[in-house]
Amino acid sequence: MTTQASLPMRRPLSALRNMLRNEASGGLVLMASAALALVVANSAYADIYFAALKAYLGPLSLLHWINDALMAVFFLLVGLEIKREMLDGRLRTWPDRILPGVAALGGMLMPALVYAAINWHSPETLRGWAIPAATDIAFALGVLALLGSRVPVSLKVFLTALAILDDLGAVVIIAAFYTADVSLPMLGGAALTLAALYGLNKAGVARLWPYLLLGVVLWGFVLKSGVHATIAGVLLALTIPLRLSVGKPDDPTSPLHILEHAIHPWSAFLILPIFGFANAGVSLAGFTPAMLLDPVTLGVALGLFVGKQVGVFGFVLGVVRLGWAHRPAHATWLQVYGVALLCGVGFTMSLFIGLLAFASNPELEAETKIGVLVGSLLCMAVGALVLRLTPPARAPAASRTS
């Protein structure tokens, strides 16, 4: 008779596994919302669609409420994920960070170089160099979800860790390179609010409402400071208390975990689909294939499709060959290459950076959207095909059971 003591303990489902499931499902919803935006933008309702986005609700237009306020919540989630994974998750030690970190570095550097090589002659369009540097984890995991068990879990975890570090890089780029004229008084107000949030953390305050209340104040100061308002979400995340796990992968009583789990479904199934619907709509009236050769469109599309796969796969291959890291378990090199292709799906972050880079030029914004859509669709299609046709890695003989 088996006693209760002899039964293996069931470990609670980790936040990372929850995120994989939520992001994958949310990615499918995001795909649908982007497709719907394209249909509406090229239908009889196009004028209503574009007019509604420009309509003002209080101090901001509807589009700005979506891109500056709703997306601040998304960036709050990004910040929570970065903090948790760095301090208490899959990226808590340097050996854990090497492979996804190097892959993220290559996946940001090479697309930027491809874009810059095509746009080096024009300072105006060169400003969009960071557009193809970002990876959209929701879309990428949505594609992996469609492939089911053909892709080993280790590759899904690798892609998630890579995308989290990629998001960290994108946040730094937005703060450093896409900041408007800075208002020192507003920046000072933001610094004081951040200091108050830090004080709450150090005082051991575990209730979330004081942090969220001050977070709204912080967002208001950052919005008026010249730094993009979404950075407030990341700064707030860094002050949310995290109770480090002991003997289990996820402490459900930690304030950070509570807030992260609360935001995840809203981000995956509401915020990102609304962002996609508001920003993916581009009118194709008068579009000709020759327009794909416009420098911005071509730079973004090739940066995503060529730069990403070369950067991610090339850098991963290099560090594994040097013996600095190991290839993801139970994955073949062809499967790693397929995931490198999926890293070129840069929808959400690429569109977001494009809107910042060309905020005063609607024509270049439209070229950016076409480049992002073309590059992302190519990466999704070819990446899914490679992973679909690649046979799984064979298990070592010693691990097989009869």
Side-chain angles (χ1 to χ4, degrees):
M1 181 176 178
T2 306
T3 63
Q4 186 175 359
S6 65
L7 289 173
M9 291 183 62
R10 293 187 63 187
R11 290 160 66 94
L13 193 64
S14 71
L16 181 60
R17 186 161 300 184
N18 268 331
M19 185 174 70
L20 287 172
R21 184 174 59 196
N22 286 342
E23 294 282 7
S25 302
L28 301 179
V29 177
L30 183 55
M31 291 179 197
S33 68
L36 181 60
L38 275 175
V39 171
V40 172
N42 293 279
S43 71
Y45 300 99
D47 290 341
I48 298 175
Y49 169 80
F50 290 111
L53 292 174
K54 295 176 182 177
Y56 270 74
L57 300 173
L60 301 175
S61 69
L62 177 60
L63 185 61
H64 278 102
W65 278 115
I66 293 170
N67 291 344
D68 291 355
L70 272 185
M71 287 300 285
V73 179
F74 167 72
F75 274 80
L76 169 60
L77 180 62
V78 168
L80 294 172
E81 290 172 350
I82 291 171
K83 180 175 180 177
R84 174 178 51 75
E85 290 296 338
M86 287 289 190
L87 298 181
D88 197 34
R90 302 281 179 151
L91 300 172
R92 65 184 178 275
T93 66
W94 282 108
D96 294 329
R97 298 169 187 166
I98 290 176
L99 190 66
V102 169
L105 176 64
M108 299 187 80
L109 179 63
M110 295 308 296
L113 290 176
V114 169
Y115 181 95
I118 295 172
N119 288 273
W120 66 271
H121 61 284
S122 169
E124 183 181 18
T125 61
L126 187 59
R127 180 170 166 77
W129 61 271
I131 296 171
T135 293
D136 192 312
I137 186 173
F139 261 110
L141 287 176
V143 174
L144 289 185
L146 295 176
L147 295 169
S149 60
R150 297 191 66 87
V151 180
V153 174
S154 63
L155 273 182
K156 298 176 183 178
V157 173
F158 165 72
L159 176 59
T160 304
L162 185 160
I164 288 171
L165 293 173
D166 187 282
D167 284 343
L168 176 60
V171 168
V172 172
I173 287 172
I174 291 170
F177 297 100
Y178 296 105
T179 294
D181 295 333
V182 173
S183 167
L184 292 180
M186 292 295 121
L187 208 57
L192 289 175
T193 308
L194 190 61
L197 285 163
Y198 178 76
L200 288 177
N201 183 299
K202 285 302 178 182
V205 176
R207 291 183 179 274
L208 285 169
W209 70 264
Y211 294 93
L212 297 180
L213 187 61
L214 283 175
V216 174
V217 176
L218 177 65
W219 177 83
F221 278 125
V222 175
L223 176 68
K224 298 295 185 180
S225 71
V227 179
H228 198 270
T230 52
I231 299 299
V234 179
L235 295 176
L236 172 60
L238 298 181
T239 67
I240 302 297
L242 171 65
R243 187 176 298 114
L244 298 182
S245 303
V246 179
K248 52 184 177 179
D250 183 14
D251 183 354
T253 65
S254 178
L256 185 144
H257 290 94
I258 292 171
L259 184 58
E260 184 182 1
H261 286 299
I263 294 175
H264 251 304
W266 291 99
S267 174
F269 298 108
L270 183 66
I271 293 173
L272 288 183
I274 288 176
F275 173 84
F277 181 74
N279 291 283
V282 56
S283 175
L284 299 178
F287 175 80
T288 64
M291 293 179 180
L292 293 175
L293 300 179
D294 290 338
V296 171
T297 305
L298 187 63
V300 171
L302 289 184
L304 291 172
F305 183 64
V306 176
K308 273 289 184 181
Q309 60 172 295
V310 171
V312 173
F313 186 75
F315 277 52
V316 167
L317 184 63
V319 295
V320 172
R321 289 284 189 256
L322 289 171
W324 296 351
H326 298 288
R327 190 174 66 200
H330 311 300
T332 67
W333 277 119
L334 200 53
Q335 287 176 320
V336 175
Y337 174 65
V339 167
L341 279 164
L342 291 184
C343 288
V345 181
F347 186 78
T348 304
M349 277 294 194
S350 292
L351 283 180
F352 191 82
I353 294 175
L355 294 171
L356 298 179
F358 304 127
S360 59
N361 194 322
E363 183 179 343
L364 294 182
E365 277 188 12
E367 290 181 15
T368 297
K369 292 179 181 181
I370 293 172
V372 169
L373 291 171
V374 170
S376 295
L377 286 172
L378 278 173
C379 291
M380 275 196 291
V382 179
L385 184 64
V386 169
L387 290 170
R388 178 71 180 83
L389 298 179
T390 302
R394 297 187 64 174
S399 66
R400 297 175 193 162
T401 57
S402 56

